[in-house]
C-alpha cells in the first residue's frame, strides 16, 4: 500500500516546520551545548525523528524504519568506504615513517603554518573535491594537517572552512548536473550564476582561514601570498564556470592556485615564520636532508590517490567500472511513498534504488591507491598493510556509527516529508525570498551532508517558488547550491569525517562550535549577494 507525503500535518506550515525541526534542534543541542559524543547525538536525533514521522506525519512504521535503514546503509557505502581508505593510507605513511619525509618537503617549501594550511586545505582540498567530493577532501587534508603537527581542532576546522569554495562544482560538477536534471533548467546558466557568486567568497577564503588561525595582524604579514592564492582560484573559477561549464572548474582552479602560490613563494617569503602558540618550531640546523627520489617516493601514495581519482572521473571509466557492483530496488520502500504538490508538479513515486557501485566508487579508487602504495613504501609489506587496515577500522568504529546514523536521519526526514516542510516554510517570505533561497540550500546540506543531495531535495521547490514570485528560477536554484557550500562545514556528516581524520572521535561538538560562526557569516554574505542580484544588481546575471 502506498503512502502520500503530507507536508503540513498541523494545518499551519510554520507550526509544522517547528515540529519538523525538533530532531535537528536535539542534534545541535547535544553537540553544541551538552557536548555529547557524535554517535549519541545522532542516535538521539534519529530516535526523535522516528517518533515524529510515525506520530505527527502518520508515516507507516515499516516505511519509517526502511527509510532509516536505507540511509544507514548508504552511509556505510559509499561514504564510510571513502573515509576508511583515506585514513588507512595516511596511517600507512605514518607507520612506515614516510610521512616524516612529506612533512620535511612541505617545510622546505614553507614551514609557515598559515601557508601550509592554504596549500593543503584550500588548494589540494579543492583538487580532491573537484575529482571526487563526498567527504574525501576533508578526510585526506585534515589527516595531513594533523600529521604535519597542526593543532587537531584547527586541522579539522580549517579543512572544513576551506572546503566551501569548491563544493558547488565538486565531483566534476555533479551538484549542478543534478540540479539541472531534476528541474530541467539550463546547466550552463546555472554554472554561470554560481560562477558569479562563489568567486567573491573564494577570493577571501585563504584570508579567512588565516585570520581564524593567527589573527588579523599575523595575516597581514602573509597577505601577498594569500592574495595570490585567492585571486588565482577565483579568477580561474569565474572563467571556467562562465565559458566552459561546471565540469573542470575545481580541478583547474586548484591547479592554478598550486602553481601560482608555488611560483610566488620562490621569490617571496614571509618576514617571520608563524607556528601555533606553544608549538616548538623545527630546528633547521638539525633538519634531515632527503634526496629527490625519497621525497617523490613519500608523496607517491597521495599521487596515486590524485591520479586514480582523476582517472575514475572520466565518463568512459564510469561506464566500464559500473559493471563491478549491483543495484536493486530497496524492498518495502521503493516507490511506496508518493511525493505531492507543491514539492513536485504532479504526484511522483519516491524511488529508493540502492546502487552498490563498488567499481566506480571513489572509495575503491582510494583503496587501490593504498594497494599500489604498499609496493613503493620501503620495508612495508601487505601483512603490515592489512594489520594497519584493521587498526584503522577499529580507530574509526564510533565515527562509522555516527556517519551511518546521520545518513539514516537525513533519509528519514526526506522520505517522511519533514525536510520538505522546513523548505516550504521559507516560501512564505514573499519578495524577500531571494535572501532565503541560499538558506534553504544551506539547510539542505546540513541535513544531507551533500550539495548534490540538497539540490535534488529542494531544486523543484526553488524553481516553483521563483516562478510564482516572478523571479529567475536559475538564480534561486544557483543560490541553493551556493548557500549549500557554507552548510557543509556544520553538517554532522562532514564533522564526523573531520573528527575521524584527526583522531578526535567524540569531540564533534568542539568542531561544531569552531565552525558554526564561520558558517553563519558566510551564509549571510551569500544570502545578501543573492538578494541584491535579484533586484539592484541584476546586471551581474547572464
Amino acid at each position: 500500500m502506498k503512502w502520500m507525503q503530507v507536508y503540513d500535518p498541523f494545518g499551519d506550515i510554520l507550526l509544522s516546520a517547528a515540529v519538523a525541526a525538533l530532531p535537528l534542534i536535539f542534534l545541535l543541542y547535544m553537540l553544541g551545548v551538552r557536548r555529547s559524543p557524535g554517535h549519541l547525538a545522532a542516535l538521539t536525533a534519529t530516535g526523535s525523528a522516528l517518533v515524529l514521522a510515525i506520530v505527527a506525519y502518520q508515516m507507516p512504521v515499516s516505511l519509517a524504519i526502511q527509510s532509516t535503514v536505507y540511509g544507514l546503509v548508504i552511509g556505510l557505502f559509499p561514504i564510510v568506504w571513502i573515509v576508511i581508505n583515506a585514513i588507512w593510507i595516511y596511517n600507512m605513511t605514518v607507520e612506515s615513517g614516510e610521512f616524516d619525509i612529506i612533512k620535511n618537503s612541505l617545510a622546505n617549501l614553507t614551514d609557515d603554518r598559515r601557508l601550509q594550511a592554504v596549500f593543503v586545505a584550500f588548494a589540494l582540498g579543492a583538487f580532491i573535491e573537484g575529482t571526487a567530493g563526498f567527504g574525501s577532501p576533508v578526510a585526506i587534508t585534515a589527516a595531513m594537517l594533523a600529521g604535519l603537527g597542526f593543532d587537531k581542532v584547527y586541522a579539522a576546522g580549517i579543512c572544513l572552512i576551506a572546503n566551501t569554495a569548491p563544493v558547488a562544482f565538486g565531483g566534476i560538477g555533479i551538484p549542478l548536473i543534478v540540479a539541472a536534471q531534476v528541474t530541467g533548467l539550463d546547466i550552463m546558466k546555472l554554472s554561470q550564476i554560481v560562477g558569479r557568486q562563489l568567486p567573491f567568497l573564494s577570493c577571501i577564503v585563504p584570508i579567512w582561514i588565516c585570520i581564524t588561525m593567527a589573527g588579523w595582524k599575523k595575516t597581514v604579514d602573509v597577505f601577498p601570498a594569500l592574495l595570490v592564492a585567492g585571486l588565482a582560484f577565483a579568477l580561474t573559477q569565474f572563467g571556467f564556470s562562465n565559458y566552459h561549464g561546471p565540469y573542470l572548474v575545481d580541478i583547474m582552479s586548484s591547479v592554478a592556485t598550486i602553481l601560482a602560490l608555488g611560483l610566488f613563494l620562490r621569490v617571496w617569503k614571509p618576514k617571520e615564520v608563524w607556528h601555533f602558540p606553544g608549538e616548538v618550531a623545527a630546528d633547521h640546523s638539525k633538519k634531515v636532508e632527503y634526496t629527490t627520489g625519497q621525497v617523490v617516493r613519500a608523496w607517491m601514495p597521495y599521487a596515486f590517490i590524485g591520479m586514480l581519482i582523476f582517472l575514475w572521473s572520466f565518463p568512459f571509466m564510469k561506464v566500464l567500472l559500473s559493471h563491478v557492483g549491483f543495484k536493486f530496488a530497496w524492498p518495502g520502500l521503493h516507490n511506496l511513498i508518493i511525493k505531492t504538490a507543491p514539492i513536485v508538479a504532479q504526484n511522483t513515486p519516491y524511488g529508493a534504488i540502492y546502487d552498490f557501485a563498488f567499481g566506480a566508487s571513489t572509495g575503491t579508487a582510494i583503496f587501490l591507491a593504498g594497494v599500489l602504495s604498499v609496493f613503493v613504501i620501503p620495508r612495508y609489506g601487505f601483512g603490515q598493510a592489512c594489520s594497519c587496515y584493521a587498526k584503522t577500522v577499529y580507530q574509526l568504529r564510533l565515527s562509522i556509527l555516527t556517519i551511518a546514523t546521520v545518513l539514516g536521519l537525513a533519509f528519514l526526514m526526506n522520505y517522511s516529508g519533514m525536510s520538505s516542510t522546513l523548505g516550504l516554510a521559507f516560501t512564505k517570505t514573499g519578495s524577500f525570498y531571494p535572501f532565503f533561497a541560499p538558506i534553504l540550500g544551506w539547510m539542505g546540506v546540513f541535513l544531507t551532508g551533500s550539495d548534490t543531495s540538497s539540490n535534488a531535495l529542494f531544486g523543484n521547490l526553488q524553481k516553483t517558488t521563483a516562478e510564482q514570485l516572478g523571479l529567475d528560477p536559475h538564480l534561486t536554484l544557483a543560490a541553493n547550491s551556493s548557500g549549500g557550500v557554507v552548510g557543509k562545514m556544520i553538517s554532522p556528516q562532514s564533522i564526523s569525517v573531520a573528527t575521524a581524520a584527526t583522531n578526535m572521535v567524540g569531540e564533534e561538538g568542539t568542531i561544531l562550535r569552531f565552525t558554526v560562526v564561520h558558517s553563519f557569516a558566510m551564509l549571510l554574505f551569500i544570502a545578501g549577494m543573492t538578494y541584491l542580484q535579484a533586484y539592484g544588481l541584476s546586471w551581474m546575471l547572464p
Side-chain angles (χ1 to χ4, degrees):
M1 184 175 178
K2 296 186 177 182
W3 176 69
M4 310 282 284
Q5 280 189 337
V6 177
Y7 309 118
D8 188 8
F10 297 102
D12 182 331
I13 191 62
L14 296 181
L15 175 60
S16 297
V19 172
L22 286 176
L24 305 181
I25 294 172
F26 290 150
L27 183 65
L28 289 172
Y29 170 75
M30 291 193 70
L31 286 176
V33 180
R34 292 198 60 183
R35 304 188 182 188
S36 302
H39 63 284
L40 293 180
L43 287 168
T44 302
T46 303
S48 66
L50 273 169
V51 172
L52 288 175
I54 295 167
V55 175
Y57 281 75
Q58 298 297 298
M59 187 181 193
V61 175
S62 62
L63 291 177
I65 292 173
Q66 287 291 352
S67 59
T68 305
V69 174
Y70 181 47
L72 286 168
V73 174
I74 287 179
L76 294 174
F77 185 93
I79 306 300
V80 166
W81 178 236
I82 291 172
V83 176
I84 289 175
N85 292 320
I87 305 305
W88 172 51
I89 290 178
Y90 165 73
N91 284 344
M92 284 197 297
T93 62
V94 172
E95 248 186 22
S96 63
E98 293 293 274
F99 202 82
D100 290 333
I101 303 177
I102 291 175
K103 288 194 290 186
N104 182 274
S105 65
L106 276 174
N108 284 336
L109 178 63
T110 176
D111 196 32
D112 192 292
R113 296 303 194 201
R114 298 165 294 187
L115 300 178
Q116 287 177 345
V118 173
F119 259 113
V120 175
F122 181 67
L124 180 59
F127 179 84
I128 300 170
E129 180 68 47
T131 52
F134 296 102
S136 50
V138 171
I140 293 169
T141 58
M144 289 187 71
L145 288 186
L148 286 171
F150 275 60
D151 176 278
K152 289 183 178 181
V153 173
Y154 280 91
I158 289 299
C159 288
L160 287 166
I161 295 170
N163 190 39
T164 50
V167 167
F169 299 104
I172 316 295
I174 192 65
L176 295 184
I177 292 172
V178 168
Q181 286 175 340
V182 300
T183 60
L185 296 179
D186 181 16
I187 189 171
M188 188 64 194
K189 190 171 183 181
L190 290 172
S191 176
Q192 289 173 328
I193 295 176
V194 175
R196 300 180 189 201
Q197 293 178 331
L198 289 186
F200 294 99
L201 184 63
S202 302
C203 192
I204 63 175
V205 165
I207 300 171
W208 196 303
I209 61 178
C210 191
I211 292 174
T212 302
M213 289 172 59
W216 173 251
K217 185 176 180 181
K218 296 297 182 182
T219 298
V220 172
D221 294 342
V222 290
F223 191 80
L226 301 178
L227 193 61
V228 167
L231 286 176
F233 193 97
L235 292 175
T236 309
Q237 187 180 49
F238 169 79
F240 271 83
S241 61
N242 275 266
Y243 300 105
H244 180 269
Y247 312 102
L248 296 176
V249 176
D250 284 348
I251 293 172
M252 299 310 298
S253 298
S254 61
V255 169
T257 304
I258 291 169
L259 291 175
L261 190 55
L263 291 172
F264 183 73
L265 290 179
R266 287 182 174 272
V267 298
W268 181 90
K269 300 289 182 184
K271 293 180 180 178
E272 181 182 350
V273 174
W274 183 83
H275 291 86
F276 289 99
E279 180 184 357
V280 178
D283 185 352
H284 293 283
S285 65
K286 299 180 180 179
K287 186 170 64 174
V288 179
E289 294 295 336
Y290 295 100
T291 66
T292 302
Q294 288 175 310
V295 172
V296 170
R297 185 194 67 207
W299 277 98
M300 282 307 297
Y302 293 99
F304 287 143
I305 290 176
M307 289 186 290
L308 288 177
I309 287 178
F310 186 66
L311 180 62
W312 254 237
S313 68
F314 285 103
F316 80 90
M317 283 296 293
K318 291 183 182 294
V319 173
L320 179 66
L321 295 168
S322 64
H323 301 293
V324 184
F326 56 87
K327 63 174 65 176
F328 60 89
W330 195 267
L333 181 63
H334 178 62
N335 286 346
L336 294 181
I337 295 175
I338 306 299
K339 293 189 286 186
T340 60
I343 296 301
V344 289
Q346 57 186 12
N347 288 357
T348 305
Y350 204 153
I353 302 293
Y354 182 67
D355 187 4
F356 187 76
F358 182 81
S361 169
T362 298
T364 302
I366 298 173
F367 174 75
L368 292 177
V371 173
L372 291 175
S373 299
V374 178
F375 290 102
V376 300
I377 296 176
R379 298 175 301 281
Y380 200 84
F382 281 99
Q384 292 164 292
C386 290
S387 174
C388 183
Y389 200 97
K391 286 186 285 187
T392 300
V393 172
Y394 182 77
Q395 170 193 341
L396 299 177
R397 64 195 184 282
L398 294 181
S399 294
I400 292 170
L401 176 60
T402 302
I403 294 169
T405 306
V406 165
L407 265 292
L409 170 64
F411 275 67
L412 173 61
M413 293 194 68
N414 292 347
Y415 279 89
S416 66
M418 284 190 278
S419 295
S420 297
T421 299
L422 293 170
L424 287 170
F426 284 101
T427 66
K428 303 300 180 182
T429 55
S431 61
F432 289 100
Y433 183 71
F435 181 86
F436 289 95
I439 299 176
L440 187 57
W442 172 84
M443 185 178 68
V445 174
F446 171 78
L447 285 169
T448 65
S450 163
D451 203 43
T452 302
S453 299
S454 177
N455 288 343
L457 180 63
F458 291 133
N460 276 308
L461 180 63
Q462 294 277 17
K463 176 186 175 182
T464 302
T465 304
E467 290 173 342
Q468 291 174 348
L469 294 173
L471 300 167
D472 184 352
H474 291 88
L475 173 61
T476 55
L477 184 54
N480 193 86
S481 200
S482 295
V485 307
V486 298
K488 200 158 188 178
M489 71 179 78
I490 61 167
S491 165
Q493 177 186 316
S494 299
I495 290 174
S496 297
V497 171
T499 54
T502 53
N503 200 22
M504 289 182 62
V505 176
E507 294 292 328
E508 290 82 4
T510 302
I511 303 303
L512 175 63
R513 290 191 298 276
F514 185 96
T515 58
V516 67
V517 174
H518 303 283
S519 180
F520 282 138
M522 291 183 177
L523 178 61
L524 287 174
F525 178 81
I526 296 293
M529 181 185 300
T530 303
Y531 182 80
L532 291 174
Q533 288 179 330
Y535 301 112
L537 299 180
S538 58
W539 53 267
M540 292 179 64
L541 304 180

